[in-house]
Amino acid sequence: MHSRNELLIAGLMALTFSVPTARCQVQFSGPTDYAVGTKPAAIAVGDFNGDAIPDLAVANTGDVASGDDGNVGILLGKGDGTFGASRGFDAGKNPWSIAVGDFNHDGNLDLAVRDGG
């Protein structure tokens, strides 16, 4: 004689094994290049303009020999997997690392940038 728990477990196992496997086909488009600045070194993702679409922030180290101090380039997402042109913002000399978070707890994303200057 089987207990009620044994029958329940056997019933759940039968349901688990009888579920058909779903198949889907995924296709990716080719790569897209975006101009961001001189010597990009790091990238971070966040919604920087509050439109609920992911944007990109890129730390561009620049080129010391030519006097290019670098910057942080922001590429706003268009919502279809593509991004607008990069807009550069000063972030000290030769930024090479970047992080995203709400560091001051105001509900808005902030950027922390580590630079070489």
Side-chain angles (χ1 to χ4, degrees):
M1 176 119 199
H2 297 287
S3 72
R4 180 181 171 147
N5 288 341
E6 289 174 337
L7 291 175
L8 180 59
I9 291 170
L12 288 175
M13 288 177 62
L15 287 174
T16 302
F17 293 114
S18 65
V19 176
T21 304
R23 293 179 187 243
C24 65
Q25 192 159 8
V26 178
Q27 293 183 345
F28 293 96
S29 63
T32 301
D33 293 330
Y34 294 94
V36 293
T38 307
K39 296 185 183 175
I43 188 167
V45 178
D47 178 13
F48 303 123
N49 61 350
D51 63 359
I53 298 171
D55 306 311
L56 301 177
V58 181
N60 300 301
T61 59
D63 181 11
V64 177
S66 70
D68 179 356
D69 288 337
N71 63 18
V72 170
I74 302 293
L75 293 84
L76 298 178
K78 294 183 178 181
D80 61 359
T82 64
F83 298 89
S86 178
R87 181 173 172 207
F89 295 88
D90 290 336
K93 285 189 172 190
N94 313 110
W96 55 269
S97 182
I98 192 165
V100 176
D102 183 7
F103 303 122
N104 60 353
H105 306 290
D106 65 356
N108 298 312
L109 286 182
D110 306 305
L111 292 175
V113 180
R114 170 69 169 105
D115 63 39

